[in-house]
């Protein structure tokens, strides 16, 4: 019989976590006060998750770690056999495998990256674990921390705020243009392994950067509920590109919370490649766009097994001439369910917005739903949407097979061709791994 966990029990557990995090991180009093404010909000905050009931959430809080995952890993031999075999099939290097497993290793690459970041910090690029940024740059963090969320919005928001740990703080000073993509694998993996990482991105006026977050390989997480929160601020004229690579284990429920403000003439392009969604993945990001600002969301998703995915995106075009695009492509297999929701709200003259959703159904038991929403409060906005859901056409398969491919190879080629337009901005080293994972998923090798 499952033990009953009450709100009072959960609050006591959260309070203990707050005290532990406050001492461990040596954080300032103002941050601990924010945590306690969230704890008080937790009890009365609403809970509307379609998969995780309030009772289940309380059990996650009481017992966050998943059973069956090795509690102590000293070498790659301690990894679950199926995970080690998948990493080998993907051609993941031994060093990266160790990071994926959460093993503490020091490499020449890590040393070089640390030296590299120290040099660029002198130029105005700051990249730190969020808890370190709280201590080192308290004024900047305090000005931006939790400015796009309210702690009482939901129980998940309150819980994250109370117990956040890990995360990335990225600051690019005014006018600085970082000329190469930042793939901070060694720093970001630590963030991914945390249960509730908090990410803050600040791009000062006329700055430019490209951040690659995550990796294509599956990560060995010990917790069953992952709550990451991202707050991004693009000041006037800033240009930012965020590429997010995700491959969650099948036992993990993920609840990404992302919000961004895009200033006058600023541009933000966010491409998310979800190669493994976890047991369920539900998110509803929000973006506020000022005059002549632009935001573009590109989403690629593989739906597998009986996983449940419900991803949205709300854009508020608040400034004259602002624009937004929300585009997604999904490949849906087995008995998975994928729901995409996009809302673009035009609130100023001469605004433009477009929503597109394309889905490829690979199974009679797979389900796809799409709900585009266009709202205009002005008479000259240009808003549009399109959606296409279908299966691989027999004539396509027949043609490829007549050219010498077997059915499996032909199917893989069609799926890769369907997704390829969305992968145009992905660096080549990741494209190779992404294509391998697509092949494995389509052939049932995942």
């Amino acid at each position: 019989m499952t033990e009953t966990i009450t709100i009072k029990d959960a609050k006591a557990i959260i309070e203990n976590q707050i005290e532990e995090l406050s001492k461990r991180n040596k954080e300032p009093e103002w941050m601990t006060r924010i945590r306690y404010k969230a704890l008080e909000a937790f009890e009365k905050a609403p809970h509307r998750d379609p998969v995780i009931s309030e009772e289940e959430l309380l059990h996650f809080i009481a017992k966050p770690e998943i059973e069956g995952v090795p509690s102590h890993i000293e070498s790659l031999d301690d990894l679950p056999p199926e995970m080690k075999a998948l990493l080998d099939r993907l051609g993941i290097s031994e060093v990266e495998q160790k990071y994926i497993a959460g093993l503490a290793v020091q490499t020449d690459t890590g040393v070089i990256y640390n030296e590299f970041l120290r040099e660029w910090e002198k130029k105005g690029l700051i990249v730190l674990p969020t808890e370190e940024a709280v201590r080192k740059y308290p004024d900047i963090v305090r000005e931006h921390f939790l400015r796009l969320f309210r702690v009482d919005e939901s129980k998940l928001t309150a819980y994250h705020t109370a117990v956040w740990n890990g995360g990335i703080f990225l600051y690019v000073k005014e006018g600085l243009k970082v000329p190469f993509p930042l793939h901070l694998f060694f720093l970001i993996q630590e963030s991914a392994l945390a249960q509730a990482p908090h990410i803050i991105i600040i791009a000062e006026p006329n700055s430019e950067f490209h951040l690659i977050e995550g990796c294509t390989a599956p990560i060995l997480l010990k917790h069953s509920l992952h709550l990451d929160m991202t707050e991004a601020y693009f000041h006037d004229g800033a240009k930012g590109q965020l590429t997010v690579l995700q491959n969650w284990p099948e036992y993990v429920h993920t609840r990404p919370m992302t919000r961004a403000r895009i200033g006058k003439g600023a541009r933000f392009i966010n491409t998310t490649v979800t190669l493994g969604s976890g047991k369920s993945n539900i998110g509803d990001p929000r973006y506020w766009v000022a005059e002549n600002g632009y935001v573009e969301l590109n989403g690629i998703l593989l739906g597998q097994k009986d996983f449940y995915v419900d991803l949205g995106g709300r854009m508020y075009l608040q400034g004259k001439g602002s624009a937004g695009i929300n585009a997604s492509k999904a490949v849906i297999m087995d008995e998975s369910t994928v729901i995409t929701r996009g809302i673009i709200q035009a609130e100023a003259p001469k605004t433009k917005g477009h929503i597109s959703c394309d889905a490829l159904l690979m199974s009679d038991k797979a389900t796809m739903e799409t709900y585009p929403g266009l709202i205009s409060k002005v008479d000259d906005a240009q808003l549009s949407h399109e959606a296409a859901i279908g299966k691989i056409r027999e004539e396509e398969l027949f043609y490829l097979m007549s050219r010498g491919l077997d059915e499996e190879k032909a199917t893989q080629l069609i799926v890769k061709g369907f997704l390829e337009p969305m992968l145009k901005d992905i660096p080549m080293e990741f494209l190779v791994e992404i294509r391998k994972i697509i092949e494995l998923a389509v052939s049932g090798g995942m």
Side-chain angles (χ1 to χ4, degrees):
M1 183 176 178
T2 306
E3 181 185 359
T4 300
I5 307 295
T6 66
I7 285 281
K8 185 177 179 180
D9 295 331
K11 286 182 68 176
I13 292 166
I14 294 171
E15 184 170 11
N16 288 336
Q17 288 179 284
I18 290 174
E19 288 299 312
E20 181 184 333
L21 288 165
S22 178
K23 290 176 183 176
R24 187 179 74 197
N25 295 338
K26 298 178 182 177
E27 63 187 25
E29 186 180 340
W30 61 265
M31 179 57 75
T32 306
R33 284 200 302 268
I34 290 175
R35 292 185 186 276
Y36 272 105
K37 182 180 178 182
L39 174 62
E40 290 308 308
F42 178 79
E43 183 170 357
K44 294 184 179 179
H47 183 68
R48 306 185 186 94
D49 194 282
V51 174
I52 300 172
S53 67
E54 184 170 322
E55 182 182 0
E56 288 172 317
L57 173 61
L58 299 181
H59 277 280
F60 282 132
I61 293 171
K63 193 175 181 181
E65 294 195 354
I66 190 76
E67 293 181 359
V69 175
S71 58
H72 187 61
I73 293 177
E74 294 183 348
S75 73
L76 292 174
D77 293 335
D78 296 329
L79 285 175
E82 65 277 6
M83 182 176 186
K84 183 69 172 71
L86 177 58
L87 294 176
D88 290 338
R89 286 201 300 274
L90 292 175
I92 304 298
S93 71
E94 184 175 336
V95 169
E96 289 192 31
Q97 288 193 25
K98 288 182 177 180
Y99 271 94
I100 290 161
L103 291 169
V105 296
Q106 183 62 52
T107 67
D108 292 341
T109 308
V111 172
I112 291 168
Y113 251 123
N114 288 334
E115 184 61 34
F116 159 84
L117 291 176
R118 278 194 291 270
E119 287 301 312
W120 274 87
E121 188 169 353
K122 298 172 186 175
K123 301 178 184 180
L125 172 68
I126 302 170
V127 185
L128 290 171
T130 306
E131 55 267 40
E132 186 177 336
V134 170
R135 296 191 301 270
K136 197 169 181 180
Y137 299 98
D139 293 340
I140 300 177
V141 176
R142 191 172 187 177
E143 183 182 349
H144 296 88
F145 190 90
L146 215 71
R147 299 300 181 184
L148 301 181
F149 292 84
R150 293 193 336 268
V151 294
D152 61 353
E153 285 184 33
S154 70
K155 277 187 166 48
L156 293 179
T157 306
Y159 180 46
H160 167 94
T161 307
V163 303
W164 75 268
N165 61 310
I168 303 297
F169 175 81
L170 172 65
Y171 175 89
V172 189
K173 85 166 189 178
E174 183 172 355
L176 179 64
K177 294 175 172 55
V178 183
F180 37 76
L182 293 164
H183 182 226
L184 305 171
F185 177 81
F186 307 101
L187 190 59
I188 289 168
Q189 283 311 97
E190 294 174 12
S191 167
L193 291 167
Q195 184 185 14
H198 196 98
I199 299 160
I200 300 176
I201 297 172
I202 305 166
E204 294 287 12
N206 301 310
S207 60
E208 294 183 16
F209 74 91
H210 179 188
L211 175 65
I212 301 171
E213 179 186 325
C215 69
T216 55
I219 299 167
L220 184 66
L221 297 178
K222 294 183 174 65
H223 49 268
S224 50
L225 176 63
H226 188 84
L227 300 172
D228 60 282
M229 183 180 285
T230 299
E231 302 182 88
Y233 303 85
F234 295 86
H235 294 281
D236 296 353
K239 295 180 181 178
Q241 191 171 342
L242 177 62
T243 302
V244 181
L245 307 172
Q246 299 178 333
N247 198 340
W248 299 107
E250 61 182 69
Y251 53 80
V252 172
H253 296 274
T254 63
R255 297 296 180 269
M257 295 174 269
T258 301
R259 293 183 184 176
R261 283 199 178 278
I262 292 89
K264 292 181 180 179
R267 293 174 62 85
F268 176 41
I269 299 175
N270 186 352
T271 300
T272 300
V273 182
T274 303
L275 301 169
S277 65
K279 186 68 175 174
S280 68
N281 186 341
I282 300 172
D284 186 21
R286 300 182 188 184
Y287 306 86
W288 294 268
V289 191
E291 183 178 346
N292 292 320
Y294 174 79
V295 61
E296 179 180 325
L297 306 181
N298 299 309
I300 294 173
L301 173 67
L302 297 184
Q304 302 172 66
K305 301 183 180 179
D306 61 347
F307 300 164
Y308 180 94
V309 180
D310 187 341
L311 298 176
R314 306 187 193 191
M315 298 179 185
Y316 301 93
L317 306 181
Q318 297 180 320
K320 182 179 178 180
S322 57
I325 293 175
N326 187 342
S328 66
K329 282 183 175 287
V331 178
I332 311 165
M333 297 168 274
D334 307 321
E335 299 179 25
S336 59
T337 298
V338 174
I339 302 170
T340 61
R341 309 171 192 270
I343 295 176
I344 298 180
Q345 182 165 309
E347 301 177 359
K350 301 187 184 304
T351 46
K352 296 180 180 180
H354 181 70
I355 298 171
S356 70
C357 171
D358 295 327
L360 198 56
L361 289 171
M362 305 291 290
S363 163
D364 291 336
K365 295 182 179 179
T367 303
M368 174 69 193
E369 301 174 23
T370 180
Y371 300 98
L374 303 175
I375 303 168
S376 182
K377 297 189 175 184
V378 294
D379 59 8
D380 62 349
Q382 297 180 35
L383 304 179
S384 58
H385 72 79
E386 59 181 329
I389 302 173
K391 295 184 176 182
I392 293 177
R393 296 199 300 269
E394 289 293 331
E395 55 266 33
E396 290 179 332
L397 272 179
F398 178 79
Y399 173 78
L400 290 173
M401 291 171 70
S402 72
R403 310 299 290 184
L405 296 179
D406 61 30
E407 184 173 355
E408 183 178 290
K409 292 293 183 185
T411 302
Q412 291 173 353
L413 189 62
I414 291 169
V415 171
K416 286 190 288 186
F418 170 74
L419 296 175
E420 202 71 24
M422 282 265 189
L423 298 170
K424 61 184 184 298
D425 295 325
I426 304 292
M428 181 55 66
E429 64 267 30
F430 300 108
L431 270 180
V432 173
E433 293 181 3
I434 288 169
R435 288 166 180 157
K436 282 184 183 177
I437 288 173
I438 292 169
E439 290 175 4
L440 284 171
V442 171
S443 62
M446 291 285 284

